[in-house]
Amino acid sequence: MSAAALLPVALLGGLVGLVVPPVAWRFVDPPARPAGAVRLCPPLAVVVFVGLATVRGDDPALPVLLAVAAVGLVLAVVDLACLRLPDPLVAAAGVLAFGGLAGAALLAGTPGRLVGALAGAAFSGAAHVLLALLPKSRLGFGDVKLAAVLGLPLGWLGRDALLTGLLLPHLLHGGLVLGLLAARRVHRDTLLPLGPALLAGAWLAALLT
């Protein structure tokens, strides 16, 4: 995608970043609202949007990827603030992903990619259910539902994207936990949100595969 074409995507990302905090605050009590979110969300959204447009600009599902990313930014802020992935937001991401990918498959005449998306959602959801059922697992079922939703666009992008999107979040989360433990910022029993890692891993998988 040309630089001129990326400019409106960057502007859209900035606008989405401005909207993310007020939408997230509907799910977060005032004392838990991180002050830095209002300042950080616009540039972060620009990076997320421009990254997807640069790498996936020729994919008919790019608008779907951007829409899911927008909801994902809200989910990340909420999870960081209060360790929650609200069902209405996860469901909205799922509806956008499935409906948008179904439309993209129909318009592009590629029904096989929709089948791949559904298979990705099933595989990602099942894998995280198994992880959640392991003894002493701290994986919540909000994380499981989000992983299943993210399996839709990852499955659309292909097997490599799906497998990378399944592995990367846990590497990112594990590395963060080890770093925080080494710095004595958290304890072994401290609960940390997995949602942002799931979303970051899916975004990186879309860029790297």
Side-chain angles (χ1 to χ4, degrees):
M1 184 175 285
S2 68
L6 286 176
L7 180 58
V9 176
L11 292 174
L12 177 62
L15 290 173
V16 167
L18 291 173
V19 173
V20 165
V23 175
W25 297 163
R26 296 173 63 88
F27 301 91
V28 181
D29 293 331
R33 296 173 181 175
V38 175
R39 181 179 70 257
L40 293 176
C41 279
L44 178 59
V46 170
V47 170
V48 169
F49 274 45
V50 170
L52 288 172
T54 300
V55 176
R56 299 292 176 180
D58 59 348
D59 195 308
L62 176 62
V64 184
L65 300 179
L66 296 178
V68 173
V71 181
L73 287 166
V74 179
L75 281 163
V77 171
V78 175
D79 204 18
L80 285 168
C82 59
L83 297 174
R84 288 180 57 226
L85 291 168
D87 284 341
L89 290 176
V90 177
V95 170
L96 286 170
F98 176 73
L101 293 176
L106 180 64
L107 291 174
T110 54
R113 295 191 74 178
L114 181 60
V115 173
L118 293 172
F123 184 78
S124 181
H128 284 81
V129 166
L130 293 176
L131 290 175
L133 294 176
L134 290 175
K136 298 183 180 180
S137 173
R138 296 187 177 183
L139 193 70
F141 274 88
D143 299 315
V144 172
K145 287 179 278 190
L146 177 58
V149 167
L150 293 176
L152 285 165
L154 290 173
W156 171 275
L157 295 176
R159 182 186 61 185
D160 290 346
L162 176 62
L163 295 178
T164 303
L166 287 175
L167 179 62
L168 266 183
H170 300 284
L171 293 177
L172 293 171
H173 186 72
L176 176 63
V177 171
L178 289 175
L180 291 174
L181 285 171
R184 298 185 179 181
R185 299 290 300 272
V186 299
H187 302 288
R188 290 183 179 274
D189 58 349
T190 302
L191 292 176
L192 295 173
L194 180 62
L198 290 171
L199 292 157
W203 178 70
L204 287 172
L207 301 188
L208 298 175
T209 56

